[in-house]
Amino acid sequence: MSKVLIIGCGASGMMAAIAAAYNGNEVHIFDKNEKSGKKIYITGKGRCNYTNASDIENHIKNVSNNGKFLYSAYSSLTPDEVTSMIESAGVPTKVERGNRAFPKSDKSSDIIYALDKMMSDIGVNVHYNSEIKSVEKTDSGFEIVDLRKRKYNGDYCIIATGGLAYPSTGSTGDGYKIAKNFDIKTTKLYPSLVPFNTEQDWCRQLQGLSLRNVNLKVYDENTEYYNENGEMLFTHFGVSGPLVLSASTKVVDKIKNNKIKCSIDLKPALSYKELDARILRDFSDNLNKNFNNSLGKLLPLKLIPVVIELSGIDPYTKVHDITKEQRKTLVDTVKNLEFDVKSTRSYSEAIITKGGIELSEINSKNMESKKVPGLFFVGEVLDLDAMTGGYNLQIAWSSGYLAGSSIY
C-alpha cells in the first residue's frame, strides 16, 4: 500500500482519489476551499453537463488539440462508466440534445454529492482549507507544505489544481508554479470557452438578444477557423453563447496578432435564392408600407434596425420602391452579418484554460511526469481543452482516474 497526496479537490482530483483508494492506497486530498467541487458547482449554469454520452472517437474529435494523447485515459474510464459511477452513488442522470449528460435533478450539487460519497465510502482523507505552498521531492517520495506550515509526506503526488479559469473557485495557476519548480515546461496560457469583446457598437446595442438556428463563421484573411450552426447571444460587451464559446477555443491564441472576424448567417437553412424568394413573399404583403415595417416576420424586432442600417437601405423607402439590387444587398446582409473580434473576456468569465503542462513532459499511459517519477498531472492543468458539451469534464474524470488507478 502506498500513500498518495492529491492537490486539488475538483473533478480530476476527486476521481484520482477514488481510483487510487480503490487500489488499496492511503489517499489524502487537499483543497484551499472549504468544500469540494467548487468549479463543478457552477458548471453548465449550475446544472453540470458532466459528460457527453458518446463514444471515445467523438470525444477525441471534440478535443481542440492533442486529442490522441487521451486514448489511454478514455479507455481507463469511458463516459458510460462515469455515468454508472454517478448513478451507483444514488444520483439518477439524463441525456439531452447533443448527447449532453446531466443529473436528472438539474443540480450540480448532486454530482458533487456522488463524488463526496464515493470518496467517503472508500476512506479518502479530505483536507479542506489547506492551500499548498510547496511540493518537494524527497528520498522516499514527496513532502508538501501548506500555508500554515503543516507538512505531509507521501510516496506519490498528483497535481489536480485546475487552470486559471474562474479564479473565484480557487483556480489560480498553482499547478503551473509547481511544474516550474520541477523544471517542467508549460505552454502559453489563454482564457478559453470565453465570450468575445467586439469592435462594432451594433453588437452591444443588441444586448440580451438570443439567436437560435444561426450559423457562425470565424476567420481571418487567410483561414476559416470555425463554422457551425447553433445558438448565440448578444451582450453589453459583444457576443457570447454556445457557438461563440466553442469558436473561442479555435482563436484565443490568434486574436492578438490576427484580425479575427465573425460572420452570422441568420438564415442558414435558406440559400441566397430561397431567402430572396422569402423576402419577396413578405414584401408582397407589405407593398405600401415603409421598409422598416416589412421585416417583422423575417427577423427578431430588435435586430431589424441593425440589419436595415447595415444594408444601407433607407428605412422609410416604400416597399414597392425597393429595387432588385437593394433586395440583393438585404439578402447579403442577412446571410453575412459581419463583425470584428477585439479581444476575449478575462479568465473570470472563461470556462477553461487553453494551454498548460506540455504533453511532451507527461506519459500518456499513466499521466506521470517523465522528468519526476511519482509526480502526476491531471485535468485542466494539462495542455488539453475541448468544446462545450461535457467534453472538458470527461478529460478531468478520465485523466484523474488513469493517474489514480496507476498507483499501487
Side-chain angles (χ1 to χ4, degrees):
M1 180 178 76
S2 300
K3 188 173 180 182
V4 183
L5 310 175
I6 301 174
I7 305 174
C9 199
S12 61
M14 284 192 277
M15 195 58 84
I18 292 162
Y22 270 126
N23 276 355
N25 297 301
E26 179 187 339
V27 179
H28 294 261
I29 188 167
F30 302 83
D31 200 277
K32 63 173 71 170
N33 293 309
E34 74 288 352
K35 58 185 178 182
S36 59
K38 271 213 160 178
K39 192 173 177 184
I40 296 173
Y41 187 74
I42 61 173
T43 300
K45 297 180 181 175
R47 295 178 63 216
C48 192
N49 174 197
Y50 70 87
T51 191
N52 192 279
S54 57
D55 60 25
I56 289 174
E57 289 303 323
N58 184 59
H59 277 259
I60 298 286
K61 191 176 77 174
N62 279 279
V63 177
S64 299
N65 295 299
N66 308 316
K68 290 179 181 178
F69 178 87
L70 285 162
Y71 271 114
S72 293
Y74 286 150
S75 297
S76 75
L77 185 70
T78 67
D80 285 347
E81 287 168 336
V82 173
T83 295
S84 295
M85 288 177 76
I86 288 167
E87 291 189 332
S88 296
V91 176
T93 66
K94 61 180 178 179
V95 176
E96 297 185 357
R97 181 176 53 84
N99 292 318
R100 288 167 159 82
F102 293 88
K104 203 167 188 179
S105 63
D106 285 330
K107 292 180 180 175
S108 56
S109 54
D110 282 358
I111 299 296
I112 301 166
Y113 161 81
L115 294 161
D116 282 340
K117 183 176 187 301
M118 285 185 268
M119 288 198 301
S120 175
D121 287 350
I122 205 160
V124 173
N125 301 280
V126 185
H127 305 263
Y128 295 123
N129 299 304
S130 295
E131 183 168 353
I132 302 304
K133 186 176 75 169
S134 68
V135 178
E136 302 291 340
K137 188 87 169 78
T138 65
D139 291 339
S140 59
F142 295 88
E143 180 179 85
I144 66 174
V145 182
D146 69 12
L147 285 180
R148 286 184 271 179
K149 299 184 178 177
R150 293 176 296 190
K151 296 180 179 179
Y152 303 88
N153 290 279
D155 303 297
Y156 298 91
C157 185
I158 300 176
I159 309 302
T161 49
L164 290 166
Y166 290 133
S168 60
T169 65
S171 298
T172 52
D174 298 346
Y176 309 132
K177 295 170 193 167
I178 293 168
K180 188 177 181 182
N181 288 338
F182 285 104
D183 198 29
I184 294 170
K185 294 174 188 171
T186 300
T187 67
K188 197 160 183 186
L189 305 169
Y190 303 89
S192 192
L193 289 182
V194 66
F196 291 149
N197 294 311
T198 61
E199 294 280 3
Q200 284 76 5
D201 281 337
W202 62 261
C203 293
R204 294 181 283 279
Q205 290 166 18
L206 294 172
Q207 177 183 348
L209 176 65
S210 179
L211 299 178
R212 292 185 174 186
N213 303 316
V214 298
N215 174 270
L216 179 69
K217 289 179 192 166
V218 183
Y219 49 92
D220 60 24
E221 59 182 8
N222 299 312
T223 308
E224 181 177 282
Y225 299 105
Y226 184 83
N227 185 341
E228 294 290 342
N229 292 356
E231 301 175 18
M232 60 177 293
L233 172 72
F234 290 99
T235 69
H236 66 283
F237 53 76
V239 288
S240 187
L243 280 176
V244 173
L245 299 185
S246 289
S248 73
T249 68
K250 303 292 188 181
V251 295
V252 291
D253 54 344
K254 300 172 179 70
I255 290 171
K256 192 173 181 181
N257 299 318
N258 300 63
K259 189 156 188 179
I260 300 296
K261 289 181 172 290
C262 294
S263 170
I264 306 168
D265 182 348
L266 296 167
K267 300 292 177 182
L270 300 177
S271 68
Y272 278 74
K273 188 176 179 181
E274 289 168 336
L275 180 56
D276 186 44
R278 161 72 196 273
I279 289 170
L280 268 175
R281 286 198 301 274
D282 288 353
F283 279 2
S284 67
D285 296 331
N286 297 282
L287 288 174
N288 295 313
K289 288 185 177 179
N290 290 339
F291 175 50
N292 62 347
N293 293 322
S294 67
L295 301 176
K297 289 183 179 178
L298 184 70
L299 300 170
L301 197 61
K302 207 169 187 177
L303 196 52
I304 291 172
V306 170
V307 168
I308 289 174
E309 184 180 349
L310 293 174
S311 74
I313 302 169
D314 185 335
Y316 300 108
T317 304
K318 293 296 181 184
V319 169
H320 60 71
D321 287 333
I322 289 179
T323 66
K324 183 179 179 181
E325 203 53 47
Q326 286 176 315
R327 207 172 66 243
K328 181 181 181 300
T329 302
L330 175 60
V331 170
D332 287 341
T333 305
V334 172
K335 297 285 287 180
N336 184 25
L337 211 58
E338 194 175 62
F339 58 92
D340 299 291
V341 177
K342 183 162 62 177
S343 59
T344 67
R345 302 296 281 176
S346 71
Y347 281 109
S348 63
E349 294 177 54
I351 295 174
I352 56 166
T353 306
K354 188 175 186 69
I357 306 299
E358 280 195 13
L359 298 185
S360 61
E361 299 270 8
I362 304 297
N363 183 346
S364 66
K365 301 296 182 188
N366 60 0
M367 298 293 147
E368 186 176 22
S369 164
K370 292 177 181 177
K371 216 170 258 177
V372 187
L375 182 66
F376 299 76
F377 291 87
V378 298
E380 194 181 335
V381 74
L382 294 165
D383 181 19
L384 291 164
D385 65 281
M387 299 294 168
T388 57
Y391 300 107
N392 286 289
L393 269 175
Q394 186 63 44
I395 292 173
W397 307 133
S398 292
S399 62
Y401 189 89
L402 178 59
S405 61
S406 300
I407 299 171
Y408 293 90

